[in-house]
Amino acid sequence: MSVPDYMQCAEDHQTLLVVVQPVGIVSEDNFFRIYKRISSVSQISVRDSQRVLCIRYRHHYPPENNEWGDFQTHRKVVGLVTITDCSSARDWPQTLEKFHVQKELYGSTLYDSRLFVFGLQGGVAEQPRTDVAFYPSYDDCQAMEKRVEDFIESLFIVLESKRLDRATDKSGDKIPLLCVPFEKKDFVGLDTDSRHYKKRCQGRTRKHVGDLCLQAGMLQDALVHYHVAVELLRSVNDFLWLGAALEGLCSASVIYHYPGGTGGQTGARRFLGSSPADAANRHRPGAQEVLIDPGALTTNGINADTSAEIGRAKNCLSPEDIIDKYKEAISYYSKYKNAGVIELEACVKAVRILAIQKRSMEASEFLQNAVYINLRQLSEEEKIQRYSILSSLELQASPVHRVHVFPAAARVLCAVPGVPSPRAFTELCVLVAGTHRGWAAVQMRLLHELVYASRRMGNPALSVRHLSFLLQTMLDFLSDQEKKDVTQSLENYTSKCPGTMEVITLPDGLTLPPVPFTKLPIVR
């Protein structure tokens, strides 16, 4: 897995992943009109139950990330909705074939799929099908949300079946070993009859069942399974999956303590499985981990009747313990170079939680760790996306300590061979512009970094504008030597590109206004 999702938050672990994609040629406007309506159905209440099913939609998802679905089930694409134009019955067979080809991309993990066809009427469109919905046009597609709800209910039926099958596994000692892609070659030829191997299988399956319970809206059951998985996996030093079990425990606890979500306006998903009264009575600081007696388990490590354990699992991790367990999980992930994306996303999730807890120093530590996690070779655009999002997270969690990420991002962008694309770099410039408050030393450092990076970009006009801004806003804080250095640098840059009072328009449409000097250094 090589593509991180920087918008990940802890409550995403309770969601089912549904991919919405076009089939054939569909205009971007029409696709996103329908995508917006589909993705509006993000939660449904399960019939005859107090449980709630949460859905996470994506219009693009790398198939290689799907291979980590056994490790963390919220990464598994379980639903596919495709959108297509088809105005002629002659084109229908080819359209249907494309739909089946699309399903094969995620075929090993899909629970169900749907095809929404626009423009086809009569004949074929009148034949009843459960997996295909026909609409006369993009403007005339009533009851689409109801079809999406029915689709989600079909996903729940499959999810519940898989959860029950796993939880009541009758295979005894022969539990299959769940693996991530890079592990498979390491287990060839191992003694499958050893006690160590059986415990590994039990622990991973317990963790997997915990994931399924969390997705199925069974929070307390999930907590039980995660606690047992932690005990089993710790006993056999299965560090990668131990980290996943700890992260699952953290996610369930976050959902319990923060029902409003941790992802902010764009990512928050309210967990509706508990009442406001329950939220008011939740145990807060000082909550203890549940200690499950492994001896009470069945031979395969899975106990279908968790009611006795649930009674002891009313208290999940406290807010303080959540962060400690995230640190432990991340330390285990860091042992595996192929788990870099998992480690990075875990850092991002922890920062979002720390922002709510207003623990800015610890948030900064997690972000510093995230900056130095090695992934594959990133393009300039990907680097900008990475550091911009991490920087915005640091601003959210710690306005005073935002100095850490910005200079690091600028230095990375300037150090790569060649000249970075102006469009990519200017996004970082705009993030810093307009934040004139806080420590003067911090702002001067950032502006110097921007001037240096602008020079490396081969854009002297940007360098002049940033130096002018520095001189105008920081003059009262500069020493005599610093004033001399800045004015000398400005003289050097303006000899190549004279300063102007024109607005500098950046490639993405943002603008840098001119700097009218109202403070001038006295030169003797």
Side-chain angles (χ1 to χ4, degrees):
M1 186 163 60
S2 59
V3 183
D5 179 0
Y6 295 101
M7 303 310 294
Q8 280 264 319
C9 43
E11 56 268 27
D12 282 343
H13 285 243
Q14 71 179 332
T15 62
L16 295 176
L17 178 58
V18 174
V19 171
V20 184
Q21 292 181 332
V23 169
I25 300 174
V26 179
S27 75
E28 186 172 310
D29 288 343
N30 286 334
F31 173 77
F32 282 105
R33 280 173 62 193
I34 302 303
Y35 178 81
K36 184 177 181 179
R37 290 185 61 179
I38 293 172
S39 59
S40 68
V41 187
S42 59
Q43 289 182 335
I44 67 166
S45 298
V46 179
R47 293 177 185 176
D48 303 321
S49 170
Q50 294 183 344
R51 288 190 267 166
V52 173
L53 207 62
C54 301
I55 309 298
R56 187 168 93 261
Y57 294 94
R58 292 288 183 272
H59 54 78
H60 174 72
Y61 193 73
E64 64 267 21
N65 285 15
N66 197 40
E67 297 175 358
W68 287 69
D70 285 339
F71 183 71
Q72 290 177 324
T73 57
H74 74 286
R75 301 182 183 278
K76 181 184 301 185
V77 178
V78 298
L80 174 67
V81 179
T82 53
I83 300 167
T84 188
D85 285 335
C86 184
S87 57
S88 171
R90 291 177 301 175
D91 298 332
W92 171 241
Q94 185 179 10
T95 299
L96 192 60
E97 177 62 26
K98 289 179 180 178
F99 171 52
H100 290 301
V101 170
Q102 199 89 339
K103 285 200 297 184
E104 290 177 2
L105 283 175
Y106 308 106
S108 62
T109 62
L110 283 184
Y111 292 174
D112 204 354
S113 57
R114 292 290 185 273
L115 172 63
F116 289 173
V117 183
F118 294 87
L120 191 61
Q121 301 185 57
V124 173
E126 294 175 355
Q127 299 175 7
R129 295 188 57 142
T130 58
D131 60 339
V132 181
F134 296 94
Y135 298 100
S137 69
Y138 288 98
D139 296 317
D140 185 8
C141 48
Q142 298 177 0
M144 176 181 290
E145 287 80 3
K146 180 61 171 66
R147 287 184 181 271
V148 176
E149 288 181 9
D150 293 341
F151 170 61
I152 293 174
E153 287 185 0
S154 74
L155 298 181
F156 171 74
I157 292 171
V158 180
L159 170 67
E160 189 71 352
S161 173
K162 289 182 176 293
R163 183 188 67 80
L164 291 171
D165 285 345
R166 288 287 191 182
T168 58
D169 194 342
K170 304 299 183 183
S171 57
D173 293 340
K174 297 299 181 182
I175 301 177
L177 180 67
L178 299 174
C179 296
V180 298
F182 74 86
E183 284 184 313
K184 293 177 181 177
K185 63 180 184 300
D186 298 331
F187 293 118
V188 175
L190 283 183
D191 180 10
T192 58
D193 293 325
S194 69
R195 189 167 179 269
H196 187 279
Y197 183 87
K198 291 176 182 177
K199 269 198 170 185
R200 186 192 297 265
C201 294
Q202 291 173 2
R204 293 187 177 192
T205 299
R206 265 283 185 164
K207 187 266 168 195
H208 185 69
V209 175
D211 286 352
L212 296 176
C213 288
L214 194 60
Q215 289 181 306
M218 303 174 68
L219 184 62
Q220 294 291 354
D221 289 63
L223 284 167
V224 171
H225 289 295
Y226 286 137
H227 275 297
V228 176
V230 167
E231 296 299 320
L232 289 168
L233 295 169
R234 198 187 297 279
S235 69
V236 293
N237 293 332
D238 192 356
F239 294 120
L240 180 63
W241 285 74
L242 173 57
L246 288 167
E247 190 180 354
L249 186 58
C250 291
S251 298
S253 301
V254 167
I255 293 166
Y256 188 82
H257 285 292
Y258 307 106
T262 64
Q265 284 297 108
T266 58
R269 293 182 184 84
R270 185 172 180 81
F271 182 75
L272 302 177
S274 56
S275 67
D278 293 333
N281 293 327
R282 286 195 179 107
H283 190 71
R284 294 290 177 168
Q288 299 297 315
E289 286 190 30
V290 179
L291 299 179
I292 305 297
D293 179 12
L297 305 178
T298 59
T299 55
N300 66 0
I302 307 296
N303 187 350
D305 181 12
T306 58
S307 57
E309 298 172 11
I310 292 172
R312 301 161 63 187
K314 290 181 180 178
N315 296 333
C316 58
L317 297 179
S318 70
E320 293 79 12
D321 289 337
I322 288 171
I323 301 304
D324 290 339
K325 291 297 182 285
Y326 261 116
K327 289 179 181 178
E328 186 179 355
I330 289 168
S331 71
Y332 294 140
Y333 292 152
S334 67
K335 296 176 182 289
Y336 303 87
K337 64 178 181 180
N338 292 305
V341 170
I342 305 292
E343 182 186 358
L344 176 59
E345 291 179 356
C347 289
V348 170
K349 295 169 196 173
V351 170
R352 296 187 191 282
I353 298 163
L354 286 164
I356 292 177
Q357 296 179 357
K358 302 187 185 303
R359 296 162 66 180
S360 57
M361 290 297 290
E362 289 175 87
S364 189
E365 292 173 9
F366 276 98
L367 283 169
Q368 282 292 292
N369 182 64
V371 167
Y372 296 107
I373 294 173
N374 289 322
L375 302 178
R376 59 182 171 80
Q377 186 65 37
L378 301 177
S379 68
E380 297 302 326
E381 294 288 338
E382 288 171 322
K383 288 177 183 176
I384 285 293
Q385 181 196 32
R386 178 178 180 178
Y387 293 115
S388 295
I389 291 175
L390 293 179
S391 297
S392 64
L393 273 173
E394 189 164 27
L395 284 168
Q396 175 187 343
S398 174
V400 175
H401 298 97
R402 61 181 177 269
V403 62
H404 296 303
V405 174
F406 281 118
R411 284 194 293 274
V412 169
L413 290 170
C414 297
V416 295
V419 178
S421 65
R423 179 184 181 278
F425 179 73
T426 50
E427 294 180 22
L428 185 63
C429 297
V430 172
L431 277 173
V432 178
T435 58
H436 178 46
R437 58 182 182 273
W439 296 338
V442 171
Q443 294 199 50
M444 285 190 286
R445 175 64 182 274
L446 296 177
L447 287 167
H448 278 297
E449 296 278 4
L450 287 171
V451 171
Y452 175 68
S454 300
R455 180 173 69 82
R456 289 293 301 271
M457 284 171 54
N459 193 335
L462 266 182
S463 298
V464 170
R465 185 58 52 87
H466 290 312
L467 274 171
S468 301
F469 182 76
L470 188 157
L471 199 57
Q472 165 66 16
T473 59
M474 297 287 113
L475 183 63
D476 294 339
F477 303 100
L478 296 174
S479 66
D480 290 344
Q481 183 59 46
E482 287 172 333
K483 291 175 184 177
K484 183 183 298 185
D485 293 340
V486 171
T487 51
Q488 187 174 358
S489 296
L490 188 58
E491 181 182 2
N492 292 335
Y493 284 116
T494 52
S495 66
K496 303 173 185 176
C497 179
T500 69
M501 291 301 290
E502 296 178 0
V503 172
I504 297 179
T505 302
L506 305 174
D508 57 1
L510 296 173
T511 59
L512 291 180
V515 180
F517 281 110
T518 59
K519 296 180 180 180
L520 296 174
I522 298 173
V523 181
R524 293 186 179 88

